[in-house]
Amino acid sequence: AFPQTPEAAGLLHDAFPDGFLWAVGSAAYQTEGGWQQHGKGASIWDTFTHHPPGLPRDPPLAGRPTGAPSSSPPATGDVASDSYNNVFRDTEGLRELGVTHYRFSISWARVLPNGSAGAPNREGLRYYRRLLERLRELGVQPVVTLYHWDLPQRLQDAYGGWANRALADLFRDYAELCFRHFGSQVKHWITIDNPYVVAWHGYATGRLAPGVRGSARLGYLVAHNLLLAHAKVWHLYNTSFRPTQGGQVSIALSSHWISPRRMTDHGIKECQKSLDFVLGWFAKPVFIDGDYPESMRSNLSSLLPEFTESERKFVKGTADFFALSFGPTLSFQLLDPHMKFRQLESPSLRQLLFWIDLEYNHPPIFIVENGWFVSGTTKRDDAKSMYYLKKFIMETLKAIRLDGVNVIGYTAWSLMDGFEWHRGYSVRRGLFYVDFLSQDKKLWPKSSALFYQKLIEKNGFPPLPENQPLEGTFPCDFAWGIVDNHVQVDTTLSQFTDPNVYLWDVHHSKRLIKVDGVVTKKRKSYCVDFAAIRPQIALLQETHVTHFHFSLDWALVLPLGNQSQINGTVLRYYRCLVGELVRANVTPVVALWQPVAPHQGLPGPLAQRGAWENPHTALAFVEYARLCFKELGHSVKFWITMNQPPTRNMTYSAGHNLLRAHALAWRVYDENFRRAQKGQVSIALQADWIEPACPSSQKDKEVADRVLEFDIGWLAEPIFGSGDYPHVMRDWLSQRNNFLLPYFTEDDKKLIQGSFDFLALSHYTTILVDWEKEDPGKYNDYLEVQEMTDITWLNSPSQVAVVPWGLRRVLNWLKSKYGDLPMYVIANGIDGDPQETEDKLRVHYIQNYVNEALKAYILDGINLCGYFAYSLSDRTAPKFGLFRYAANQFEPKPSMKHYRKIIDNNGFLGPGSLGRFCPEEFTVCTECSFFHSRKTLLAFLACLFFAFIISLSLIFYYSKKGRRSYK
């Protein structure tokens, strides 16, 4: 396993080495079609698809061409993508991609219909010659596979296929024909593709052609013959053709990656065994010593054939590079479950490359097949495939740059949609879309093709200006804040307010014993008596923040939902909290309502009477807001009416009433409290960014706009925009005969529009959306949107994506929609791993999100006034806190110290930069000044001072009188 810093786990901005081979591939049976054209012989796949053996529970073929009627015959490769008749079409696709290499396979049965080296099929040879000539014109180098699973059927019938060792000589003869006819134009040859699948599923399980359900012994025998056949062809080329043609020959080996279920010696050994049984089965004889892995020998006993000494020498070293195939053909589909040895399979290409590099003596590795798949119904916006492609290429780059693995080339699979073996046409793997029911079979570039083309053009992921960190500072009055949405109200008073008398039992229990019936006069309590407030203030002072954002508990203040019962103790606690905050020079930012359990943060009676569905809740909220403004407003200058209303879990009528409640509360403050208190009021919206999964897709852009309007615009447009709901919402719902979205009266519009003093948003992550339905579990039928993530993104333990640039984009989107408003990022944070003491992920998160906020301020001209980190401590927000909480103790995490450093610098200072000088400002609070809050103490001190003056006067008087008497 690699030590994963956030930077190493995320996107690596770097380029591939000069001369890196960029390729795309295809296989003859999957794409050529023309199964009986111009004298082509039948292959085992022709027979297998025309006469499927009908395996129980696991049919060998699944799916038909998209749109095919249910009466269609089983899926075959008879026509497929019709590449045999479309050489120019295919090579134009290569030209569009800009690849340097094209991997394709030669159909053995097309050039030798009977399989043996008799008279070759001239039309078949002419087809491949035309293809090679066209590649030469384009400057694309061929990578030619001699055998990609389509054995001539006659050889299967006459010899029993690869179960007969005689096929090795026939394969050698076929290879010699290909070397003679095409070798002058080919510098990379692959003898056999994926011998594991050919041997195990062709001759042991029977899942693939030729469908022989033999024993495990037969599978191992076939693999043995395949290795000998490969070695014969390599030696043939090495001896007879390499001196004149100067090419290289290898065998394409497929593998999975496996991780220990538990990180124990046994688990690690089982993983090694799994890789030995799949990849090492063929790689060790070829790349190491000509024999099978020891783990196979010790576990399989007599099932595994023996190499003679001469055969070992003959097989050893028969590869000029390591040709690796990695992807869904084997991983998660055709890997025999028993060969996992109860360990965990994962699609980690980087770790596999690193293992191959160590295990097989640092060979040059050419990835000759890699990619993923999408549903057969997906057309051109194949976001899932595109992001897997990005992930695999990124892992390849990391293997090269970070791990020192010698990867020389990469092949995306495949050029076009085709017949996908045991899955028929139920999935698609092409970079180009093919409508299999059309006559011309035109190639249409998918989003993955456009992505691959741009990546090849840039030769990787070079650093872009927008990816570079920005140096600079925020304005002097920038609000640096921290959030605690669930601040605990602890009204327990200190011990000094206890009127009881105690005796100390010094001889026995060593405890205080209450004296019954004896009490002292109970003194008046003060804010300092609330024991929970001072420690919280101390934590905030340690962070150096200027603002603290927390939410009041409506249900605690007004248990019945109205002012018939006011919890004076709780209200006084809040009054003391905001007072102490101001005294500590921390500005309170107070939210009136936070949707939390139970009852969505509402008083029980209101929740029982329909919650926000009931219009009376809005009126009750206004009275609650009026009470809070009156009791706390002298110390609170920033109010949030509604904190992050959950638009994704809220009915339209509830949202309608919530908007009216907010606007009414804002009007109450504006008309009755603003002049005296001079505060500001707004609503805080949840505003995660929504990004089109396929940037080139107009439909994905439309989907992203739709989701943004439903997520953010629903509440933002009436307040900050037109006073009405977004047109996108209304139009979308009307098209679907959904008329549940209420209408505002003209008076409502006037009431709601402009009911803000600033725009506050909480932002945590970015979500990708696609219009194609790929994963039903994450598909929103209501909005017709597929949600997904870029699998190269860094993720938190709860799988929240870390996408700093999303914050900048949502700020710009809000500015473009609602103008140059003062904005506050009122909450921004992520969960961390409690066991990770260095807190690297949260340090990375804060560093990069704040830097994107700085870019929005400096580069984009966003009127950004503040940033608030979420959250204060793990006590109220487990895993999100800047302070750990254990055993009633708070401990600062590294992320807190990093945030404090950013605050102290007011941004990001460059080397040697002095930064901007900002004079420290203090907020004056008449209600909570030293003199105002300690009136009794001051009176007592005044009495003492007065008594002292009287005493001095008397002493002076009598001393003077005494001297006079003495005289």
Side-chain angles (χ1 to χ4, degrees):
F2 300 96
Q4 290 289 309
T5 63
E7 292 76 13
L11 197 66
L12 175 65
H13 291 287
D14 205 339
F16 283 84
D18 292 339
F20 191 78
L21 313 182
W22 291 108
V24 69
S26 66
Y29 187 75
Q30 291 186 279
T31 60
E32 283 184 4
W35 78 290
Q36 287 183 318
Q37 270 187 268
H38 301 148
K40 177 187 174 293
S43 75
I44 56 174
W45 271 95
D46 291 320
T47 304
F48 189 72
T49 55
H50 293 162
H51 308 285
L55 299 177
R57 300 187 307 275
D58 186 22
L61 303 176
R64 298 176 171 87
T66 304
S70 58
S71 59
S72 297
T76 71
D78 292 359
V79 178
S81 317
D82 201 23
S83 286
Y84 181 72
N85 297 300
N86 287 282
V87 170
F88 184 80
R89 177 205 67 177
D90 292 357
T91 52
E92 277 299 289
L94 300 174
R95 187 184 59 77
E96 286 185 48
L97 291 174
V99 293
T100 63
H101 289 67
Y102 176 45
R103 180 189 172 196
F104 66 92
S105 71
I106 294 174
S107 170
W108 190 345
R110 192 177 295 282
V111 296
L112 290 173
N114 293 322
S116 60
N121 178 9
R122 291 184 179 181
E123 289 298 322
L125 293 174
R126 185 177 292 115
Y127 165 68
Y128 294 112
R129 202 174 289 120
R130 285 202 319 272
L131 175 57
L132 289 168
E133 181 58 29
R134 177 66 179 150
L135 293 178
R136 188 188 63 78
E137 292 172 3
L138 294 174
V140 176
Q141 293 292 321
V143 179
V144 180
T145 305
L146 293 171
Y147 181 73
H148 203 126
W149 307 6
D150 50 350
L151 186 72
Q153 182 62 41
R154 184 180 178 283
L155 298 184
Q156 183 65 35
D157 295 338
Y159 296 92
W162 289 106
N164 192 323
R165 185 172 288 208
L167 242 67
D169 291 323
L170 295 173
F171 184 57
R172 179 191 178 284
D173 295 341
Y174 157 61
E176 183 174 6
L177 174 71
C178 294
F179 293 155
R180 291 192 186 281
H181 280 271
F182 313 124
S184 61
Q185 299 181 65
V186 179
K187 301 304 178 188
H188 291 89
W189 291 96
I190 291 171
T191 56
I192 299 167
D193 181 84
N194 205 336
Y196 169 90
V197 169
V198 174
W200 195 253
H201 292 301
Y203 292 86
T205 68
R207 291 183 64 187
L208 302 180
V212 177
R213 295 186 220 173
S215 62
R217 184 188 298 276
L218 180 60
Y220 292 121
L221 175 63
V222 168
H224 199 75
N225 293 338
L226 288 168
L227 280 167
L228 293 173
H230 156 75
K232 283 184 182 245
V233 171
W234 186 90
H235 283 288
L236 167 69
Y237 188 87
N238 190 54
T239 303
S240 305
F241 294 96
R242 193 191 302 273
T244 56
Q245 297 179 358
Q248 294 182 316
V249 180
S250 189
I251 180 171
L253 303 181
S254 187
S255 185
H256 62 309
W257 179 250
I258 200 93
S259 299
R261 192 175 292 275
R262 293 185 180 86
M263 193 56 72
T264 61
D265 288 344
H266 174 74
I268 294 171
K269 288 178 181 177
E270 292 297 281
C271 288
Q272 175 72 33
K273 190 189 301 181
S274 176
L275 291 168
D276 283 346
F277 269 65
V278 179
L279 180 58
W281 184 2
F282 303 93
K284 186 172 177 286
V286 171
F287 289 93
I288 301 298
D289 59 6
D291 203 356
Y292 297 115
E294 182 56 37
S295 60
M296 293 185 74
R297 286 237 166 266
S298 59
N299 279 271
L300 298 175
S301 183
S302 59
L303 288 178
L304 203 60
E306 293 276 353
F307 285 111
T308 65
E309 186 60 34
S310 61
E311 287 175 339
R312 288 194 190 98
K313 293 177 181 178
F314 188 69
V315 171
K316 178 184 174 182
T318 55
D320 301 314
F321 56 93
F322 198 113
L324 175 66
S325 171
F326 184 80
T329 301
L330 177 66
S331 297
F332 301 98
Q333 290 190 41
L334 292 177
L335 176 63
D336 192 293
H338 298 296
M339 294 184 183
K340 296 181 186 180
F341 295 96
R342 301 182 180 179
Q343 304 308 306
L344 301 174
E345 190 179 2
S346 69
S348 178
L349 176 57
R350 179 185 173 189
Q351 295 205 342
L352 177 61
L353 290 169
F354 189 69
W355 184 83
I356 291 171
D357 183 67
L358 293 179
E359 190 79 3
Y360 301 112
N361 299 323
H362 318 293
I365 302 172
F366 191 171
I367 299 170
V368 294
E369 178 184 348
N370 182 236
W372 210 249
F373 62 89
V374 291
S375 165
T377 60
T378 300
K379 293 183 171 59
R380 295 179 62 182
D381 291 334
D382 59 336
K384 179 181 174 183
S385 281
M386 181 178 71
Y387 286 110
Y388 266 100
L389 189 65
K390 181 182 177 184
K391 165 190 162 65
F392 291 137
I393 296 174
M394 175 54 58
E395 290 190 356
T396 303
L397 180 61
K398 289 179 179 179
I400 295 169
R401 296 301 188 193
L402 303 182
D403 309 328
V405 181
N406 183 19
V407 184
I408 61 172
Y410 177 89
T411 306
W413 200 270
S414 63
L415 173 62
M416 71 202 86
D417 292 332
F419 175 80
E420 290 300 331
W421 308 116
H422 62 300
R423 303 192 69 171
Y425 294 97
S426 65
V427 298
R428 293 174 178 267
R429 294 189 65 191
L431 297 179
F432 286 84
Y433 172 79
V434 176
D435 180 355
F436 297 110
L437 299 181
S438 66
Q439 287 292 328
D440 58 0
K441 303 287 190 298
K442 186 175 180 181
L443 298 189
W444 297 93
K446 301 183 188 179
S447 295
S448 56
L450 301 177
F451 164 78
Y452 195 46
Q453 183 270 328
K454 290 178 182 177
L455 186 136
I456 293 171
E457 187 178 288
K458 297 175 181 177
N459 198 36
F461 305 90
L464 300 174
E466 58 265 32
N467 298 328
Q468 301 305 302
L470 180 67
E471 294 175 0
T473 57
F474 290 93
C476 285
D477 60 350
F478 193 74
W480 290 106
I482 203 164
V483 187
D484 191 346
N485 283 336
H486 313 291
V487 62
Q488 292 188 343
V489 178
D490 185 354
T491 57
T492 304
L493 298 174
S494 69
Q495 59 179 326
F496 301 108
T497 61
D498 189 349
N500 295 295
V501 176
Y502 297 85
L503 293 177
W504 186 14
D505 185 3
V506 296
H507 298 293
H508 298 96
S509 65
K510 307 294 184 183
R511 297 178 179 176
L512 292 175
I513 300 174
K514 181 179 175 182
V515 179
D516 295 331
V518 181
V519 294
T520 62
K521 184 177 179 181
K522 186 174 182 179
R523 72 169 177 83
K524 184 180 178 181
S525 62
Y526 301 95
C527 285
V528 293
D529 294 326
F530 287 116
I533 293 179
R534 283 294 179 86
Q536 194 163 35
I537 301 294
L539 291 182
L540 291 169
Q541 289 177 315
E542 191 175 349
T543 65
H544 298 180
V545 294
T546 61
H547 291 64
F548 177 50
H549 171 38
F550 68 95
S551 300
L552 304 180
D553 191 328
W554 184 359
L556 279 181
V557 176
L558 298 177
L560 300 181
N562 56 50
Q563 295 193 33
S564 64
Q565 181 181 335
I566 301 174
N567 191 329
T569 303
V570 170
L571 202 55
R572 187 163 177 273
Y573 179 89
Y574 284 135
R575 192 184 304 120
C576 288
L577 176 58
V578 296
E580 292 296 316
L581 284 169
V582 173
R583 183 175 297 109
N585 208 39
V586 176
T587 302
V589 180
V590 180
L592 295 171
W593 176 71
Q594 171 83 19
V596 294
H599 310 312
Q600 304 175 44
L602 298 171
L606 294 181
Q608 293 166 9
R609 289 196 290 268
W612 289 110
E613 299 285 340
N614 189 336
H616 292 290
T617 301
L619 301 178
F621 177 79
V622 174
E623 293 309 306
Y624 160 62
R626 186 188 302 273
L627 174 67
C628 294
F629 295 152
K630 176 184 176 183
E631 295 293 331
L632 309 177
H634 292 292
S635 298
V636 179
K637 304 307 175 189
F638 287 92
W639 289 98
I640 301 292
T641 54
M642 315 289 179
N643 195 34
Q644 304 176 52
T647 51
R648 292 199 170 191
N649 297 299
M650 190 166 63
T651 64
Y652 296 125
S653 59
H656 199 74
N657 292 329
L658 190 144
L659 281 167
R660 294 192 73 256
H662 155 77
L664 287 169
W666 188 89
R667 300 293 174 188
V668 164
Y669 189 87
D670 190 55
E671 295 168 5
N672 301 295
F673 297 96
R674 188 186 301 276
R675 181 172 297 178
Q677 297 179 359
K678 296 180 173 56
Q680 295 182 312
V681 183
S682 194
I683 186 172
L685 302 175
Q686 170 107 18
D688 288 336
W689 178 241
I690 306 298
E691 180 77 4
C694 299
S696 59
S697 168
Q698 185 58 39
K699 287 187 176 181
D700 277 9
K701 291 176 183 177
E702 292 171 3
V703 166
D705 288 340
R706 180 160 68 243
V707 177
L708 283 168
E709 293 292 3
F710 272 81
D711 279 2
I712 305 173
W714 177 7
L715 301 181
E717 182 65 26
I719 297 171
F720 303 100
S722 64
D724 202 352
Y725 295 116
H727 292 300
V728 170
M729 283 186 73
R730 187 78 69 187
D731 294 345
W732 178 260
L733 295 174
S734 297
Q735 291 169 16
R736 280 143 190 81
N737 297 318
N738 184 325
F739 304 106
L740 296 177
L741 189 64
Y743 285 86
F744 290 113
T745 65
E746 287 303 315
D747 289 340
D748 283 341
K749 290 181 181 179
K750 292 177 182 178
L751 172 75
I752 295 170
Q753 187 179 23
S755 57
F756 68 92
D757 298 307
F758 55 90
L759 196 160
L761 65 138
S762 60
H763 175 88
Y764 303 98
T765 188
T766 291
I767 300 168
L768 296 176
V769 293
D770 184 21
W771 73 275
E772 295 267 23
K773 187 173 184 178
E774 185 65 37
D775 181 358
K778 294 183 179 179
Y779 188 78
N780 184 331
D781 290 290
Y782 188 67
L783 295 181
E784 296 183 8
V785 56
Q786 177 77 65
E787 290 193 359
M788 60 179 58
T789 187
D790 181 339
I791 52 178
T792 66
W793 285 347
L794 190 62
N795 284 288
S796 75
S798 64
Q799 297 305 300
V800 175
V802 179
V803 194
W805 51 259
L807 173 59
R808 183 179 175 189
R809 292 195 184 181
V810 78
L811 289 170
N812 276 278
W813 184 82
L814 289 167
K815 180 182 179 181
S816 69
K817 292 282 292 183
Y818 308 118
D820 190 19
L821 305 178
M823 297 188 198
Y824 291 83
V825 179
I826 208 73
N828 178 242
I830 200 167
D831 60 298
D833 183 353
Q835 308 303 320
E836 214 274 282
T837 57
E838 296 183 21
D839 202 21
K840 292 178 182 177
L841 177 64
R842 292 171 52 76
V843 169
H844 174 85
Y845 185 95
I846 291 172
Q847 169 79 14
N848 287 277
Y849 272 84
V850 176
N851 198 259
E852 289 296 320
L854 182 67
K855 292 176 186 177
Y857 169 68
I858 292 179
L859 303 180
D860 307 330
I862 303 295
N863 186 11
L864 188 62
C865 302
Y867 172 90
F868 291 69
Y870 180 81
S871 169
L872 179 60
S873 77
D874 287 340
R875 183 182 185 185
T876 53
K879 301 180 183 179
F880 283 86
L882 296 180
F883 287 86
R884 291 187 184 87
Y885 179 76
N888 291 323
Q889 296 293 319
F890 292 94
E891 177 190 353
K893 297 180 184 178
S895 54
M896 188 284 287
K897 297 176 182 177
H898 190 73
Y899 185 43
R900 182 173 63 192
K901 181 180 177 182
I902 294 173
I903 294 172
D904 291 343
N905 292 331
N906 200 33
F908 302 90
L909 302 180
S913 175
L914 297 177
R916 178 188 301 176
F917 172 72
C918 293
E920 191 169 2
E921 297 181 6
F922 294 93
T923 305
V924 178
C925 174
T926 56
E927 292 290 320
C928 52
S929 65
F930 179 86
F931 299 103
H932 189 277
S933 60
R934 291 173 171 79
K935 293 178 180 178
T936 307
L937 177 61
L938 291 174
F940 175 68
L941 292 175
C943 289
L944 286 179
F945 181 73
F946 181 73
F948 177 70
I949 296 298
I950 295 296
S951 299
L952 283 178
S953 300
L954 289 173
I955 291 170
F956 179 76
Y957 172 76
Y958 283 108
S959 63
K960 189 173 182 180
K961 184 177 180 181
R963 285 198 299 272
R964 210 183 290 123
S965 300
Y966 178 74
K967 291 178 180 179

